[in-house]
Amino acid sequence: LIGEELRFHAGDGGGNFAPPQVAPSPVLGAHSVAAGDFAPTPGLGDGLVTEIVAASNGSTATAVAIDGDSAYLAGSFDGTLKAKGSAARGVFVQRIGATQGWPKTWAAKPDENLRVTSVDVRAETLAVALSRSTSGRPPRATIEALDLDGKQRWTVELEAKVGFATIADVAVADDGAVYAVGSFTGVMDIAGSTLRADGLADGFIVAIAADGKPTWAQRFGGAEGDQATAIAYSPAVGVIVTGWFSGEAAVQRATVKSNDESIDGLVMRLRPDGALLWVRQLGGAGTDTLTDVAISGNQLAVLGTFERALLAGTKPIESAGSSDILLATMSAEGEAHQLQTVGGPGPDVANG
């Protein structure tokens, strides 16, 4: 258990670097953050719903989203998919727990690697992020919006020129708009903007209206590799994005610098129109990444991994092994509240 203070280095959104903000010493529990920080999320009801999604040659789950009494499970399959009856290889989304469940499938071409990277559901809209790659062609990404009966509403493809584009996560807003984050190289034209990657790869954020029209897009990054890894939305907070960067990275008018030119975690808050409200850096001397984020009320939780030592308070927090898992809670204004680490003598990694 750690009793140190936690520092986040804050850009003010105008290109200036504010002094580090110091939160009170966190109170940590062995299994969770303090009670009351996050309200319980309505689940699938009091009863346990069990559904087996199986294919004759194997199936793998990669993402899940919950809305009321329904869950939407996504993954890949090979062979005959149960309840669908078609023999193929591809990916699926299965609605579970509702009165009327259904599977939606996408078939992969013989030489194609197809996978679902993320799903989210809100406002009777199910957003599905697909990644496609074939031999000799860079990966390309597709966002599809479905209604709650599994019928397609629209499709938006993200493809970089002389490079690749991948989607890491999607989030649906109350009005049915979809936000997506990921990484790209080269040049990508989207929402009337031309995004140019400065380094090995840059992170991107794109907003798509409920009718499938991209409304805005932006990149962040610098001369090294940078990536957006997760996104969350709530009406009260807006849009929260996590990721990681190396060296120095531009985030709209703000600039952040990693410790010792290493890889550090990044979390930012945007308005629904894309305007930056704040950006925070979290890291130390090793490779530190943030891979997932959640919003409840005015509270944020970010999940990640840190190596060796995390800069927090008067002295670094040392990992138990080569890397440990990090869970930090923050206010909607970016103020750090609590920090919890999980790890043992070996490498421990968070996967959002």
Side-chain angles (χ1 to χ4, degrees), residues 62-63 74 91-93 106 114-120 126-132 140-145 156 158 166-171 178-181:
T62 57
V91 296
F92 68 89
V93 174
W106 294 262
L114 177 62
R115 60 192 179 95
V116 177
T117 57
S118 177
V119 292
D120 192 38
L126 175 65
V128 183
L130 301 171
S131 174
R132 301 175 181 270
R140 62 193 191 280
T142 303
I143 305 169
E144 296 209 13
V156 172
L158 305 179
T166 61
I167 298 173
D169 200 14
V170 292
V178 176
Y179 299 93
V181 296

Side-chain angles (χ1 to χ4, degrees), residues 199-210:
L200 301 175
D202 279 2
F204 73 83
I205 311 159
V206 61
I208 304 169

